Amino acid sequence: MSDPNKAADVLERKYCSSVNSLNLKDGHVIEGYASLFGMADRGGDIVEAGAYARSLTALEKDGRRVKMLWQHDPSQPIGVWEEVREDKRGLFVRGRLLDGIARGREAAHLLSAGAIDGLSIGYRTVVARKDDQGRRLLKDLELWEVSLVTFPMLPEARIGGKGDGPGERVLSELADAFENARRMLARSQARDVNATEDRNDR
């Protein structure tokens, strides 16, 4: 049996829904909460206040930034996080999408259309413990990146972890989510084209 107090050797992901105020301003400025403290997720994990403090301090000391990625893909940075900090509620982030790259523009369209459900973090667990209900209390996390995702693949997923593949129901839900995101993006782009044509006709 693995010791929950030891650092994990895998990169983990945790999703934070847009009901926690993910906002797009001026067409490219994004802000919201990437993680909330004290709330049990569907995987049974609870991030404790201060869990990111050591990691954020180390990043600042080294002159490095938390990466803004598209769908957790390290080959697809889509912007820069200019502010990443802890407050009483959780991990607050503010940054800007880069409209000079296609993925940045796509993300902005998806946000405007409501097709992106929230933010998802990529992190490594350094210190954790189990409470008397068997939930994992995350006390110290090494933050790697904060991604924009069109939907959460899973409430929680470990990269490189072992487990059964998704069932037919999950695959169907994923297909539906992709189709919904595609339709919302198409409608948003159509509105932009119509607005441009209206301006040109005047």
Side-chain angles (χ1 to χ4, degrees):
M1 181 180 297
S2 61
D3 184 349
N5 296 299
K6 290 184 177 180
D9 293 328
V10 295
L11 188 63
E12 302 179 63
R13 297 173 182 170
K14 193 172 296 297
Y15 175 77
C16 191
S17 171
S18 62
V19 297
N20 300 305
S21 302
L22 174 62
N23 298 312
L24 181 68
K25 299 179 178 180
D26 300 324
H28 68 282
V29 177
I30 181 174
E31 64 178 31
Y33 283 88
S35 176
L36 297 175
F37 295 144
M39 297 180 63
D41 62 20
R42 283 177 284 178
D45 286 353
I46 298 175
V47 179
E48 295 191 343
Y52 302 100
R54 183 196 57 79
S55 180
L56 294 177
T57 298
L59 286 169
E60 184 177 5
K61 181 179 179 180
D62 294 341
R64 295 180 292 127
R65 285 182 174 179
V66 175
K67 303 299 183 184
M68 182 192 294
L69 302 181
W70 176 248
Q71 311 289 0
H72 294 292
D73 186 344
S75 69
Q76 296 194 69
I78 58 170
V80 290
W81 293 118
E82 297 174 327
E83 181 180 3
V84 181
R85 60 176 170 82
E86 288 186 320
D87 60 20
K88 292 182 179 180
R89 189 179 183 191
L91 183 69
F92 177 83
V93 295
R94 178 185 290 115
R96 54 188 170 88
L97 297 166
L98 299 179
D99 57 11
I101 58 176
R103 285 299 189 192
R105 295 191 298 273
E106 180 180 347
H109 278 295
L110 288 167
L111 276 165
S112 297
I116 289 181
D117 295 319
L119 300 172
S120 183
I121 62 172
Y123 66 96
R124 188 176 68 90
T125 300
V126 178
V127 178
R129 65 181 178 85
K130 290 289 186 73
D131 66 9
D132 55 6
Q133 299 180 46
R135 298 176 301 186
R136 194 170 60 144
L137 305 180
L138 306 179
K139 301 177 69 65
D140 187 359
L141 302 178
E142 184 177 85
L143 183 64
W144 286 55
E145 50 93 5
V146 179
S147 284
L148 275 71
V149 291
T150 48
F151 60 91
M153 290 290 291
L154 291 171
E156 181 186 12
R158 289 178 174 81
I159 299 175
K162 296 180 179 179
D164 297 331
E168 292 297 325
R169 181 181 62 80
V170 175
L171 290 175
S172 177
E173 290 176 354
L174 296 183
D176 289 344
F178 271 125
E179 180 62 18
N180 288 337
R182 184 191 66 77
R183 289 176 180 173
M184 296 179 79
L185 178 58
R187 286 197 294 268
S188 176
Q189 291 174 332
R191 286 196 297 269
D192 290 345
V193 171
N194 291 335
T196 300
E197 291 177 348
D198 289 342
R199 287 194 297 269
N200 291 336
D201 291 338
R202 292 173 184 174

